[in-house]
Amino acid sequence: MAKGNQKRAGSRLRAQGLLERYRPIEGVVDEMVDASGSPRPAWRSFIDALDGLGAERLGQRFARADQYLRDAGVYYRVYDKAGTNEREWPLAYVPLLIDEEEWAEISAGLVQRADLFEAILADIYGPNRLIEKGILPAGLIAASPEYLRPIVGVRPASGHFLHMVAFELGRGPDGRWWVLGDRTQAPSGAGFALENRVATTRALSDIYGEMHVHRLAGFFRRFRDALNGMARDSGGRVAILTPGPLNETYYEHAYIARYLGIMLLEGEDLTVSGGRLMVRTVSGLMPIGVLWRRLDAAFADPLELKPDSQIGTPGLVEAIRRGTVSAVNALGSGLMETRALLSFLPRIARELQADELKLPNIATWWCGQESDRALVLANIDRMVVGPALSTRLAFEDDGAATRLGSSLSAGERAELVARIEADGAGFVGQEAVTLSTTPVFVGGSLEPRPASLRVYLARTPEGWTVMPGGFARVGFSLDPTAIAMQRGGQAADVWVVSDKPVERETLLPQEHESFTRTMPGSLPSRAAENLTWLGRYIERSEDTVRVLRAYHVRLAETSDPGMPLLADIRDYLEPFGIDVETAIPSGLIGSLDSAVYSAGQIRDRFSPDGWLALKDLSKTIHKFANTVAPGDDATRAMTVMLRKLAGFSGLLHENMYRFTGWRFLEIGRRLERGIQTARTLSRLTGNGAPEGALDMMLEIGDSVMTHRRQYPVQAGRRTVIDLLALDPLNPRSILFQLERLKAEIGMLPSVGGEGHMSPAAKEILQLNTAIAVMEPSDMSAKVLDDFAGQIGDLYNSLAKAYFS
């Protein structure tokens, strides 16, 4: 794959419309057009359809795709000098098209490669015949941080090291596809491939419908069924292990978990008991039979692997050693991503498969061998030189790690040569890559950009299945290093196109297939805790907004912040971090940000509509923080916030399945509403409450109209307390919250054995009974404060029983 000339060549494409500026690059293969400038067969009807739409309509359609991605909350976490931030998913709107016959050749080559890798891993962690025969250098394997000694001699419970793999491909100037790198550790991107497909078809639904494009759902259905089959054999469940929300591809982890109906767990959710991997749930410990890990193996077990890991599970290696859980992929399988191993694969293929690689990898020379080192040093100006043990592709490494020989100054070249001569085993030389180009939509027309292709394979009982597509990484410029996602690259859908109709596959089971319903109690404890706090933060935000609106209404009417009632409210809110001198207090913003954080911890259990509504709430409050003034302006802003909060709560209430998770969300809401109502009642109905406090209390409790209908008298302390503390039919009253808490806590999984009430159930029963028999005259400020504290204590009992 010699580096090609970047000079522009002429084209036989029509010099009009979208194609007016499209000029393939001389010496570089273009995916859309052949060497003569004519469209390739798979592209002809697609180009005609695009050109028929025109630039303006295409721009509108692509905006529709962007809107879908924003609405779905698709993002990619970027790490840079400023820290980490979420970047909107960068969709390259024009898909990469590949004919199904060519795809069949690619698939056959990758299946052979996946089988080869399985055999190599089985040998390295088993009999080590490749090293014994001198085909693989022992020093290279031993030096790799991906070689895990605690796994040596451990045969995976499933019988296989690899279950999901991915390969990065590039097409060279000779027209052949080459493997640029291998992904066997924890391949990412399959979920993003699905989102690429959805977004692209939103924009080009008519074109997609007319072309025979192979669907992706069948690939995921077969892999899901394979995982479930493995779990049934082990008597456990399937789970995805994620490093957590700060991981660059966490969105995908949550998306795949939701799409396939698999639990998404973090290391702290798991424990090893009696040699079995168990998940902490609200019903107690439950076994995990298959763990699809999305974190690097070294971090999986701080007990036997990386001791400073904060995201692993102590004892996981021992559970794997005992064969009670299958890791997907097996720990230690990331070894096959080592860049230097590419140098040995052709010979290994001949040794283990008695065959040449059908799909060769990029030419690589390991400088730990004298002959290879001499070759690299003699041709360094035509090579890319980088770390031998790196698991990253050359164009993903920064300039300090991997260098293009021709770009080095004389001094830099001499320094690199000296380093190679001193420590050849630490370096590899690789052929410089010239990637093929694919069209992107730029400024109203199409232009070529370099692209690589990532293809996924999954193991099923019938063998490897290849995703009929994948995704392409596409550059913003002609620089091939600019296709890396961390460097601003784009992602394009990949259409495998047939000349005949294709099967319409879905995730749905066939009529003859059996199914099981997951038990409601299989809710991880951490998810239950986050759902509870989500309910609490949302309710806390609503209560704060109601108090602030009542404050700013009166401020707008009197323009006197010194009036006793307003001063009393300021004093009341200050201990809770709510400064009413600011129209949008930081304490209110913090409550909503905390709600977003709690929801972000359970993205796999949260509907896209719910997430969109919550993000809209957060966006609105942050916008108001910079634009809203106290008084009438703040009153209108609080009314907007109340409507959006009510919309979010209604969305959850009407659409969320009544499983255990919903109960914890509801418990959180009722706990917080009970606490806030009791506290506010204590303040505004106390003996020293200023004039107008009772009317404000009714307004805050959203009970003005109800009070007028229920009591044929003016608001008095007893009528306000009766309505907002003791009325079992008022959804804002304390008693109503306790009734709901009693019902929901009573439906939670038993923690003391059948027939035994949990401590929380006993506490809520006592509280409910105590307040139900009270009269308004019994409800002093101290009694109300005590009730607020006792309701708060309920959370501690729940946490001890279900979240520990």
Side-chain angles (χ1 to χ4, degrees):
M1 298 174 71
K3 188 168 179 65
N5 191 331
Q6 299 294 303
K7 180 182 176 181
R8 299 286 181 137
S11 171
R12 296 185 182 180
L13 293 168
R14 288 173 295 164
Q16 58 183 7
L18 295 173
L19 307 174
E20 182 177 358
R21 290 159 51 187
Y22 202 87
R23 298 293 184 272
I25 301 169
E26 185 177 324
V28 176
V29 170
D30 190 273
E31 296 297 331
M32 187 173 70
V33 299
D34 59 24
S36 68
S38 301
R40 299 181 188 276
W43 287 85
R44 286 172 187 153
S45 60
F46 181 80
I47 292 172
D48 288 340
L50 284 188
D51 204 48
L53 288 170
E56 183 177 353
R57 289 176 63 192
L58 267 183
Q60 294 169 351
R61 288 181 173 225
F62 294 153
R64 190 186 308 164
D66 286 336
Q67 186 62 52
Y68 162 76
L69 292 170
R70 283 193 294 271
D71 290 348
V74 185
Y75 72 90
Y76 185 85
R77 191 171 293 280
V78 177
Y79 305 98
D80 52 31
K81 294 180 181 178
T84 68
N85 58 82
E86 294 180 3
R87 176 189 176 198
E88 290 186 357
W89 186 246
L91 179 68
Y93 312 108
V94 180
L96 171 62
L97 274 56
I98 300 178
D99 183 85
E100 69 174 352
E101 291 185 4
E102 184 176 26
W103 190 259
E105 295 177 4
I106 292 173
S107 299
L110 295 182
V111 167
Q112 179 207 30
R113 193 176 187 87
D115 283 335
L116 177 63
F117 282 13
E118 177 69 33
I120 294 173
L121 287 168
D123 180 77
I124 289 175
Y125 289 106
N128 260 320
R129 293 192 181 94
L130 291 172
I131 289 176
E132 182 182 326
K133 294 181 178 181
I135 298 173
L136 267 178
L140 175 63
I141 300 301
S144 173
E146 301 301 334
Y147 176 65
L148 304 182
R149 287 170 176 79
I151 306 300
V152 173
V154 178
R155 184 67 181 170
S158 66
H160 299 286
F161 286 84
L162 300 175
H163 295 269
M164 167 73 82
V165 295
F167 300 101
E168 199 83 22
L169 308 182
R171 196 199 295 268
D174 61 357
R176 299 179 65 191
W177 287 99
W178 296 74
V179 178
L180 305 178
D182 308 291
R183 292 288 175 258
T184 56
Q185 173 80 267
S188 64
F192 289 124
L194 276 171
E195 288 286 34
N196 286 345
R197 175 61 54 90
V198 175
T200 302
T201 53
R202 288 284 181 97
L204 305 173
S205 57
D206 48 351
I207 302 175
Y208 179 81
E210 292 174 2
M211 300 183 70
H212 305 310
V213 181
H214 285 268
R215 270 55 174 179
L216 304 181
F219 171 84
F220 289 97
R221 187 189 72 246
R222 287 185 282 274
F223 186 50
R224 178 200 62 190
D225 293 347
L227 294 177
N228 287 333
M230 291 164 57
R232 283 193 297 271
D233 293 342
S234 67
R237 289 171 166 76
V238 182
I240 297 175
L241 178 62
T242 175
L246 293 181
N247 183 261
E248 62 186 15
T249 57
Y250 175 76
Y251 170 83
E252 185 209 3
H253 304 169
Y255 178 83
I256 285 289
R258 188 168 59 239
Y259 183 69
L260 298 182
I262 297 174
M263 280 194 295
L264 183 66
L265 305 176
E266 295 182 29
E268 66 181 277
D269 295 324
L270 297 164
T271 187
V272 175
S273 177
R276 289 216 66 169
L277 184 66
M278 313 290 280
V279 57
R280 298 182 177 94
T281 78
V282 295
S283 296
L285 298 179
M286 293 187 176
I288 295 296
V290 177
L291 191 66
W292 182 4
R293 62 178 182 86
R294 300 303 302 271
L295 53 75
D296 288 353
F299 293 89
D301 184 349
L303 194 62
E304 296 200 51
L305 300 173
K306 192 174 177 62
D308 59 347
S309 171
Q310 300 292 314
I311 56 178
T313 303
L316 176 59
V317 169
E318 178 60 23
I320 291 172
R321 192 178 287 126
R322 293 193 184 194
T324 59
V325 62
S326 294
V328 176
N329 288 326
L331 299 184
S333 57
L335 178 66
M336 297 311 303
E337 297 184 1
T338 306
R339 200 181 294 181
L341 285 183
L342 295 173
S343 175
F344 301 93
L345 289 181
R347 185 180 174 188
I348 295 175
R350 291 191 292 271
E351 173 70 23
L352 296 182
Q353 297 179 330
D355 199 0
E356 298 292 333
L357 290 172
K358 296 178 182 177
L359 205 60
N361 49 250
I362 181 174
T364 303
W365 296 269
W366 179 51
C367 296
Q369 299 182 123
E370 185 176 345
S371 58
D372 283 11
R373 182 168 62 252
L375 189 148
V376 170
L377 291 174
N379 297 276
I380 197 168
D381 291 336
R382 294 188 293 159
M383 289 191 180
V384 171
V385 179
L389 299 179
S390 174
T391 58
R392 298 167 66 89
L393 274 64
F395 58 73
E396 294 176 331
D397 269 339
D398 58 38
T402 298
R403 309 296 299 273
L404 178 64
S406 61
S407 68
L408 300 175
S409 66
E412 290 171 332
R413 185 182 186 280
E415 180 185 357
L416 180 58
V417 167
R419 290 174 61 196
I420 294 174
E421 289 176 337
D423 179 27
F427 293 90
V428 292
Q430 292 185 299
E431 192 175 7
V433 175
T434 297
L435 297 172
S436 62
T437 55
T438 192
V440 297
F441 186 72
V442 180
S445 63
L446 299 179
E447 293 188 10
R449 293 290 185 270
S452 69
L453 170 64
R454 182 172 293 186
V455 186
Y456 300 87
L457 281 72
R459 186 183 296 282
T460 72
E462 293 74 36
W464 291 105
T465 181
V466 181
M467 183 192 292
F471 78 84
R473 294 197 283 178
V474 185
F476 274 114
S477 68
L478 293 174
D479 178 6
T481 66
I483 72 173
M485 301 301 291
Q486 287 289 340
R487 299 187 184 181
Q490 307 171 89
D493 191 14
V494 178
W495 291 6
V496 177
V497 181
S498 175
D499 58 3
K500 55 185 179 297
V502 298
E503 183 178 358
R504 291 182 174 272
E505 297 189 276
T506 71
L507 280 184
L508 298 176
Q510 303 299 314
E511 286 297 324
H512 66 276
E513 293 179 341
S514 61
F515 66 90
T516 58
R517 179 180 293 167
T518 303
M519 294 300 293
S522 61
L523 177 71
S525 297
R526 183 179 55 82
E529 185 175 16
N530 278 293
L531 283 163
T532 304
W533 276 106
L534 173 61
R536 292 195 66 172
Y537 285 129
I538 287 297
E539 194 61 40
R540 186 177 299 177
S541 300
E542 181 181 336
D543 179 79
T544 303
V545 167
R546 288 185 179 280
V547 174
L548 289 173
R549 185 173 69 166
Y551 175 91
H552 285 289
V553 163
R554 285 153 181 79
L555 181 64
E557 291 173 348
T558 65
S559 299
D560 180 15
M563 69 178 293
L565 180 58
L566 297 187
D568 193 62
I569 289 297
R570 285 198 299 274
D571 292 342
Y572 168 62
L573 292 177
E574 184 179 5
F576 305 115
I578 307 298
D579 179 12
V580 296
E581 300 294 335
T582 305
I584 310 296
S586 59
L588 173 59
I589 297 173
S591 291
L592 276 172
D593 285 346
S594 295
V596 173
Y597 175 83
S598 292
Q601 302 294 308
I602 46 172
R603 284 292 298 273
D604 60 309
R605 296 176 179 273
F606 215 65
S607 76
D609 286 337
W611 179 255
L612 178 63
L614 187 56
K615 292 291 282 186
D616 181 56
L617 271 168
S618 178
K619 181 180 178 181
T620 300
I621 197 70
H622 281 276
K623 181 180 72 174
F624 284 163
N626 299 318
T627 59
V628 170
D632 190 57
D633 202 19
T635 301
R636 289 194 297 270
M638 294 304 158
T639 300
V640 171
M641 289 304 302
L642 274 179
R643 286 202 301 265
K644 294 197 173 190
L645 281 161
F648 174 74
S649 297
L651 184 68
L652 296 185
H653 189 273
E654 291 301 317
N655 296 328
M656 197 168 177
Y657 185 76
R658 283 348 187 224
F659 74 127
T660 311
W662 182 86
R663 301 194 187 288
F664 280 101
L665 179 69
E666 181 72 358
I667 285 169
R669 291 183 62 218
R670 299 305 171 183
L671 281 172
E672 195 67 28
R673 184 175 292 186
I675 293 168
Q676 298 299 336
T677 301
R679 283 176 176 168
T680 313
L681 265 176
S682 170
R683 185 74 177 205
L684 295 180
T685 64
N687 292 331
E691 182 181 354
L694 295 178
D695 290 331
M696 178 181 272
M697 185 67 237
L698 289 173
E699 186 178 325
I700 292 169
D702 198 19
S703 297
V704 174
M705 297 292 293
T706 305
H707 185 274
R708 290 173 183 169
R709 285 195 297 265
Q710 294 285 90
Y711 307 94
V713 295
Q714 280 190 329
R717 182 180 185 278
R718 287 187 301 167
T719 61
V720 171
I721 289 178
D722 185 61
L723 181 59
L724 287 173
L726 303 176
D727 192 330
L729 301 182
N730 183 4
R732 313 296 307 189
S733 77
I734 299 172
L735 182 57
F736 187 94
Q737 313 316 313
L738 297 180
E739 293 280 5
R740 293 303 308 149
L741 284 167
K742 183 176 71 171
E744 298 304 339
I745 290 174
M747 293 291 288
L748 293 179
S750 174
V751 293
E754 292 299 328
H756 294 273
M757 293 182 69
S758 68
K762 292 178 182 178
E763 289 177 30
I764 187 59
L765 181 59
Q766 292 169 347
L767 261 177
N768 189 70
T769 303
I771 197 171
V773 299
M774 282 191 165
E775 296 293 334
S777 57
D778 300 325
M779 305 289 283
S780 66
K782 182 179 184 308
V783 169
L784 286 165
D785 283 335
D786 287 345
F787 270 121
Q790 292 175 68
I791 295 170
D793 289 341
L794 271 174
Y795 174 82
N796 297 328
S797 296
L798 288 166
K800 184 177 180 180
Y802 296 105
F803 306 156
S804 299

